[in-house]
Amino acid sequence: MLNGKRWVPWAGWAISLWPAFVIISSATWKLTRNAWYVGEFARIGWPDSALPLLAFLQLASLALFLIPRTAVLGAILLTGYLGGAIATYVRIGEFYPPLVPLSTSMTAWLGLFLREPRLRRSEEHTSELQSLRHLVCRLLLEK
């Protein structure tokens, strides 16, 4: 469907700029110890001593996400990191702030899907995967 269109990877890179911007902004606030950010961090239950480590994790995951050979690993790590941010807010009963990490991870995966032809190629093998799933289910049910 999208394979063979030259604009698709470029659109993927353009879309991938948004999560990169969000992650770089967040890491910058952590490393510069932005007063509002430190206060927000304390409010949600994190010690400010964790800021540098979390910024490093963000930037390392982002670097992996932006390198084509490691982009899938980077997206997985970013999703895990952002999932922790979502869990932190849900734990304290706030449901609006998680929209930022949720939309950031979804945008990262959309950008990666468009820029990585191996991920788009998997849509061609959907029937093969469904057949495999049926085979595994049948084997499990026979026991």
Side-chain angles (χ1 to χ4, degrees):
M1 181 170 94
L2 294 175
N3 289 328
K5 299 190 181 192
R6 292 171 34 159
W7 60 268
V8 172
W10 290 104
W13 279 107
I15 291 169
S16 293
L17 290 176
W18 178 250
F21 170 75
V22 171
I23 297 299
I24 289 170
S25 296
S26 176
T28 300
W29 295 331
K30 286 176 178 71
L31 292 173
T32 60
R33 298 196 180 270
N34 175 286
W36 176 85
Y37 202 79
V38 170
E40 179 68 7
F41 222 62
R43 186 184 73 78
I44 62 175
W46 282 88
D48 65 343
S49 61
L51 291 170
L53 175 62
L54 292 174
F56 170 76
L57 290 173
Q58 284 180 298
L59 293 173
S61 298
L62 179 62
L64 291 171
F65 174 70
L66 294 175
I67 298 169
R69 289 182 59 97
T70 59
V72 173
L73 174 61
I76 291 168
L77 293 174
L78 283 176
T79 302
Y81 179 87
L82 294 167
I86 292 168
T88 298
Y89 279 108
V90 170
R91 178 185 60 83
I92 62 172
E94 294 187 14
F95 298 100
Y96 170 72
L99 293 178
V100 173
L102 177 63
S103 63
T104 301
S105 61
M106 291 172 63
T107 305
W109 279 103
L110 174 61
L112 182 58
F113 176 77
L114 293 175
R115 62 182 230 236
E116 178 53 62
R118 292 175 298 175
L119 294 176
R120 291 193 312 277
R121 206 172 307 125
S122 68
E123 68 188 19
E124 299 168 3
H125 302 293
T126 302
S127 61
E128 293 171 16
L129 291 174
Q130 288 174 344
S131 298
L132 180 62
R133 187 187 70 191
H134 289 299
L135 175 65
V136 170
C137 288
R138 194 172 71 227
L139 290 172
L140 290 174
L141 292 175
E142 286 178 0
K143 290 188 176 195

